[in-house]
Amino acid sequence: MKKQIVTLTAIAALSVGAATTASASSSYTVQSGDTLWEISQDKNVSVESLKGWNNLSSDLILPSQELKVDGQAASETKADNSTYTVKSGDTLFKIASAHGISLDSLVSWNGVSGHLIYPGEEMVVKGGTAVAEKAPAKTAAAPAPAKSTAPAAPAPASAPAEKAPAAASTQSGKTMTVSATAYTAYCAGCSGTTATGIDLRSNPNQKVIAVDPSVIPLGSKVWVEGYGEAIAGDTGGAIKGNKIDVFIPSQGAALDWGRKNITIKVLN
């Protein structure tokens, strides 16, 4: 009888251990460099299943993001809260990705103007409806100058107005060595639209570089070693002097680019 009790105790302990292991394996914390495809292969599930269990609208995942990798566990936690309280260090992009919604939906549901959010702020992250943004305060327009009644003197025919030289012309054909890094349209806090209005998420094959406009005028065509011909169409807070940031659509490829000294040539 005593032997039987010991055996039953051992079986119970094994059952508890198995349940703990099963629970631990129902979720996965994303590591740097991970992709949905690699995780699906490791967990023997499909990419579509992973996206469905985690309410992902794209293949984008971020380091430290918690993913459900078991269908049963995902169904148990299906009823997520419809609101989220902003924590220190959060960004709109990070919150949208964590809840499997688009950045545009998050901004629309919460009537966000710009990209500033604050710790403690409550945000709708599920099933929201569009909220009108608060319009910025408008300054009174300056009154139009009074029109002169005196007839304008005709311009001398022999002295046509000279066109001011374009700022880019002083840089045309210039070759220089710069420190180059890379970025994507899905970086934390990024809107995906450049300083000159290029939508990089809709045009992932567009070759664009961020520059210091005092060194390379915006709108210039620039040949970049190891990248090709690009448009100087963006700026960045850390891009000062002889530094550029090349746009690469893939996060992995952008990380592989790293930081390097390369040669560029301003074409126009």
Side-chain angles (χ1 to χ4, degrees), residues 148-227:
S148 173
T149 57
S158 59
E162 295 183 359
K163 292 184 179 179
S169 65
T170 60
Q171 298 289 340
S172 181
K174 183 174 182 179
T175 300
M176 65 184 82
T177 299
V178 298
S179 173
T181 51
Y183 72 106
T184 73
Y186 295 93
C187 55
C190 291
S191 66
T193 303
T194 71
T196 58
I198 302 171
D199 186 347
L200 295 177
R201 296 183 183 178
S202 299
N203 301 279
N205 295 321
Q206 178 76 58
K207 288 188 179 292
V208 177
I209 61 174
V211 300
D212 181 346
S214 68
V215 178
I216 302 173
L218 286 173
S220 300
K221 289 185 179 180
V222 184
W223 175 83
V224 181
E225 179 183 2
Y227 185 69

Side-chain angles (χ1 to χ4, degrees), residues 126-140:
K126 182 178 180 182
T129 55
V131 177
E133 293 183 4
K134 292 182 179 179
K138 293 183 178 179
T139 57

Side-chain angles (χ1 to χ4, degrees), residues 74-167:
S75 63
E76 292 172 358
T77 58
K78 190 83 173 180
D80 294 329
N81 290 332
S82 60
T83 60
Y84 173 77
T85 302
V86 178
K87 298 179 178 58
S88 179
D90 278 346
T91 64
L92 287 173
F93 178 74
K94 181 178 178 182
I95 294 171
S97 297
H99 291 87
I101 58 177
S102 70
L103 180 60
D104 290 340
S105 294
L106 183 64
V107 169
S108 174
W109 293 347
N110 293 278
V112 176
S113 177
H115 291 275
L116 292 179
I117 54 176
Y118 304 94
E121 185 176 352
E122 196 82 6
M123 306 202 77
V124 177
V125 293
K126 182 178 180 182
T129 55
V131 177
E133 293 183 4
K134 292 182 179 179
K138 293 183 178 179
T139 57
K147 293 183 178 179
S148 173
T149 57
S158 59
E162 295 183 359
K163 292 184 179 179

